[in-house]
């Protein structure tokens, strides 16, 4: 199965939010519109019983509000992870937007069974210049979802000319919407608000169970990072960092002061104190040579987190690594099964405990 590299994946996301010029951070850091209407060509596995009386529905977002007049049947996901919420709510998008690469229809193994007998969605590209507007228009969508996105106002207005668009929520950074709100917003758009809330509660119960089984997580500090163009650290509004917070870990005190209002940023060696936590979770190209390279940096290697063996390494192009990056209502249970044992080994207070790689 072909995989895209970590560099191309992260650089594409950075480009989408105008971060191509991100430079190493030293000792510190630093509209409205509307879409409406709905056509009804095509089908995507809808359940009409669950949407009775749900429409019209209006959703607020970064660029104003959008009204969906009737049940959508041809859904295009511009948000890079929105397809998982659509699938788990019983619908199959006609098109998705590729981010991770390597999966037919941009549907990971944790979500494959949700396709049922439906054909895999058409896969669109966003290399940092925005959605492929003409290709999306040709698909004749009656709903465009861009909840987990960095959509600009002009892109939103272009897409809104031919279908209602649900853009990213105003309250969060671009690509910063929590998986809970993402699922519930998409649930509202699909006329399945109650079902979405139930699904969210089910995953939150899994977090609660993991926390109860691992009391050492409470109060322990953690950070999520990747060796992209140096050392890239994810901020508190990034879904990967929220995964750690949802397990009870605390993030570095100055993290957002250094990151600013972005989902993450490169840090200089002067701020490697952000990495000296109770556990570091690294998303790496591989779990052998990439780790050796990290440990060859004398500044990093001298940190207690390294000396005491409290690191978790995740191969970023593996199914596990892809699921971590997606952080959706469908991928999170897949990640919990694999990462919780690793985190438990990292924070057990015994330097001799090895943090093992999951078997699959």
């Amino acid at each position: 199965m072909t995989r895209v590299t970590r560099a191309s994946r992260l650089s594409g996301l950075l480009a989408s939010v105008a971060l191509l010029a991100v430079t190493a951070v030293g000792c510190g850091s630093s509209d409205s519109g509307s879409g409406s209407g709905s056509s009804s060509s095509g089908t995507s596995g809808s359940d009409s019983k669950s949407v009775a009386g749900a429409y019209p529905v209006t959703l607020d977002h970064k660029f104003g509000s959008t009204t969906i007049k009737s049940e959508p049947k041809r859904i295009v996901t511009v948000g890079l992870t929105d397809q998982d919420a659509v699938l788990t709510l019983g619908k199959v998008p006609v098109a998705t937007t590729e981010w991770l690469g390597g999966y037919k229809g941009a549907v990971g193994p944790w979500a494959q069974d949700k396709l049922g007998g439906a054909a895999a969605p058409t896969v669109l590209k966003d290399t940092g210049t925005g959605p492929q507007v003409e290709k999306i228009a040709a698909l004749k969508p009656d709903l465009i979802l861009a909840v987990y996105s960095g959509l600009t106002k002009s892109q939103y207005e272009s897409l809104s000319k031919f279908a209602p668009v649900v853009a990213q929520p105003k309250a969060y950074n671009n690509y910063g919407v929590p998986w809970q709100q993402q699922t519930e917003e998409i649930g509202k758009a699909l006329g399945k608000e109650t079902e979405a809330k139930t699904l969210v509660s089910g995953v939150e119960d899994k977090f609660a169970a993991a926390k109860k089984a691992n009391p050492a997580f409470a109060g322990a500090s953690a950070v999520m990072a990747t060796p992209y163009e140096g050392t890239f650290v994810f901020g508190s509004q990034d879904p990967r960092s929220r995964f750690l917070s949802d397990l009870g870990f605390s993030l570095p005190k100055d993290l957002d002061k250094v990151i600013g209002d972005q989902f993450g940023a490169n840090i200089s060696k002067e701020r490697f104190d952000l990495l000296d936590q109770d556990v570091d979770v690294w998303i790496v190209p591989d779990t052998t040579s990439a780790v050796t390279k990290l440990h060859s940096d004398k500044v990093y290697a001298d940190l207690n987190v390294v000396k005491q063996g409290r690191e978790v390494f995740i191969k970023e192009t593996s199914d596990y690594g892809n699921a971590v990056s997606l952080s959706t209502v469908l991928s999170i249970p897949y990640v919990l099964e694999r990462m919780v044992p690793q985190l438990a080994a990292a924070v057990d207070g015994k330097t001799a405990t090895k943090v093992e790689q999951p078997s699959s």
Side-chain angles (χ1 to χ4, degrees), residues 75-88:
I75 303 163
V76 170
T77 60
V78 168
L80 300 182
T81 68
D82 291 352
Q83 65 270 24
D84 277 12
V86 175
L87 287 165
T88 200

Side-chain angles (χ1 to χ4, degrees), residues 1-10 12-13 79-81 83-84 96-110 123-126 148 240 283 315-328 331 334-335:
M1 180 178 287
T2 303
R3 301 286 192 190
V4 293
T5 64
R6 167 180 45 82
S8 65
R9 282 167 47 181
L10 189 54
L13 184 54
L80 300 182
T81 68
Q83 65 270 24
D84 277 12
T96 56
T97 299
E98 186 173 76
W99 176 29
L100 300 176
Y103 297 127
K104 187 175 182 180
V107 178
W110 49 86
V123 177
L124 303 166
K125 306 283 185 180
D126 181 351
Y148 182 80
R240 283 154 284 214
I283 302 174
K315 183 178 179 181
E316 61 98 21
T317 55
S318 65
D319 291 336
Y320 177 24
N322 288 334
V324 171
S325 292
L326 253 74
S327 290
T328 65
S331 73
Y334 185 94
V335 174

Side-chain angles (χ1 to χ4, degrees), residues 54 100 112 114 123 154 176 198 204 210 219 239 243 245 293 304 306 322 329 332 336 342 358:
L100 300 176
Q112 283 289 333
K114 302 299 182 182
V123 177
S154 62
T198 300
E204 288 181 333
F243 181 90
S245 298
K293 184 176 180 180
N304 286 330
V306 179
N322 288 334
V329 68
I332 285 172
L336 284 169
Q342 291 183 298

